[in-house]
Amino acid sequence: MKEQKANRPFLLSGAYNVRELGGYTNMNGQMTKTHAFLRADGLFRLTMQDQKKLYDYGVRCVVDLRSERETELYPCNLIGYENIEYMGIELFDHVQSNQLRGGFPPSLSAMYEELLDRSQPGLLRVFQTFARHTADCVIFNCTAGKDRTGVVAMLLLKLAGVSDAMVTVDYAASAQNVQELFVAQREGLAKEGYPTPDYLFASDAEQMQTTLDYLQNKYGGSEAYLRAIGLTEEQIRCVKAKLL
């Protein structure tokens, strides 16, 4: 199979890591659909031109994975835009959810494993929302579009039968895409006296591979995981049909 590269981010003025999940070939030779799912970083800086571009692309639903505090401080700029539905579904990551104020997990893979284990009600709501929007483009986001968004993207791509290698490639692109934001963020935190571990600003493929192994070994893969947290067979079918 030809080696694939991660999809490039959209050219937007107010977001840096908005990317398609479509265009990836799965292990059966099927290609994931475009205009179905977009993964994204924070959407609170979107300009009017950005809003129109995403709407014209087909976005009709936003699933915001940030904490209540994050969404209060930096509201999504697509709220109230035309007929886009906005869903705030918090996935607690102990990093951005804590405003980067400490209590960090020992590694990114540990954070992702905890999300899979402890954020199951939130992840269930996320995928139930996906299943309702079978004909629309759904954009899901957190702050950097790397961690919480990365776990959801992983579950979607594995549900579509995409290889682990491609999932890790897609994941690993995020840190570079938002490097400019990370530099400013680290400088600001250092000035405030909040040292942060380097790994928080990375998206190393090995961290996602460790998470994929955990998902497979503990839950039996993405589809089995989604079934275990409460997604119905019909909802799983709807999300699969939306993906492929």
Side-chain angles (χ1 to χ4, degrees), residues 117-233:
D117 291 343
R118 298 191 180 182
S119 290
Q120 294 180 5
L123 285 165
L124 174 60
R125 287 184 62 210
V126 168
F127 278 81
Q128 287 172 333
T129 303
F130 291 166
R132 285 195 293 106
H133 285 270
T134 54
D136 302 324
C137 183
V138 179
I139 188 168
F140 58 97
N141 74 283
C142 53
T143 296
K146 178 174 77 75
D147 300 319
R148 291 163 288 186
T149 295
V151 169
V152 172
M154 172 199 72
L155 290 169
L156 283 169
L157 291 174
K158 290 308 297 180
L159 185 64
V162 173
S163 69
D164 284 8
M166 190 65 248
V167 174
T168 61
V169 166
D170 179 72
Y171 165 77
S174 283
Q176 185 59 44
N177 291 343
V178 294
Q179 193 60 232
E180 183 179 335
L181 293 179
F182 280 165
V183 169
Q185 195 173 51
R186 292 182 81 161
E187 288 175 353
L189 287 164
K191 286 178 182 177
E192 294 177 28
Y194 291 106
T196 49
D198 289 340
Y199 73 78
L200 293 181
F201 303 97
S203 55
D204 296 334
E206 309 87 71
Q207 296 295 313
M208 179 52 67
Q209 186 58 61
T210 299
T211 309
L212 286 161
D213 293 341
Y214 183 84
L215 176 69
Q216 182 63 42
N217 294 334
K218 181 166 183 177
Y219 294 101
S222 177
E223 184 168 342
Y225 174 82
L226 294 171
R227 190 177 291 114
I229 68 174
L231 212 64
T232 67
E233 295 300 327

Side-chain angles (χ1 to χ4, degrees), residues 106-120:
S107 66
L108 289 175
S109 59
M111 180 204 304
Y112 305 155
E113 291 166 11
E114 184 173 15
L115 277 170
L116 289 170
D117 291 343
R118 298 191 180 182
S119 290
Q120 294 180 5

Side-chain angles (χ1 to χ4, degrees), residues 15-115:
Y16 306 92
N17 198 20
V18 177
R19 293 188 275 135
E20 264 283 359
L21 283 193
Y24 293 143
T25 303
N26 73 6
M27 290 180 287
N28 294 321
Q30 297 171 289
M31 188 170 287
T32 55
K33 288 181 184 177
T34 59
H35 297 265
F37 290 104
L38 301 180
R39 58 177 298 167
D41 53 325
L43 303 175
F44 52 90
R45 300 184 186 90
L46 295 179
T47 64
M48 292 180 66
Q49 291 79 8
D50 294 338
Q51 293 168 335
K52 184 178 187 304
K53 185 170 185 176
L54 290 172
Y55 187 82
D56 290 347
Y57 196 78
V59 171
R60 295 297 181 272
C61 179
V62 177
V63 177
D64 192 335
L65 307 173
R66 298 177 300 156
S67 67
E68 184 176 346
R69 176 161 175 76
E70 289 172 279
T71 57
E72 286 176 353
L73 286 171
Y74 306 107
C76 173
N77 277 5
L78 288 175
I79 295 175
Y81 188 86
E82 298 292 343
N83 59 331
I84 291 178
E85 178 184 4
Y86 174 83
M87 295 287 293
I89 305 174
E90 178 177 1
L91 299 184
F92 196 78
D93 68 351
H94 294 290
V95 178
Q96 295 291 350
S97 303
N98 287 349
Q99 297 293 295
L100 291 168
R101 296 300 189 257
F104 302 122
S107 66
L108 289 175
S109 59
M111 180 204 304
Y112 305 155
E113 291 166 11
E114 184 173 15
L115 277 170

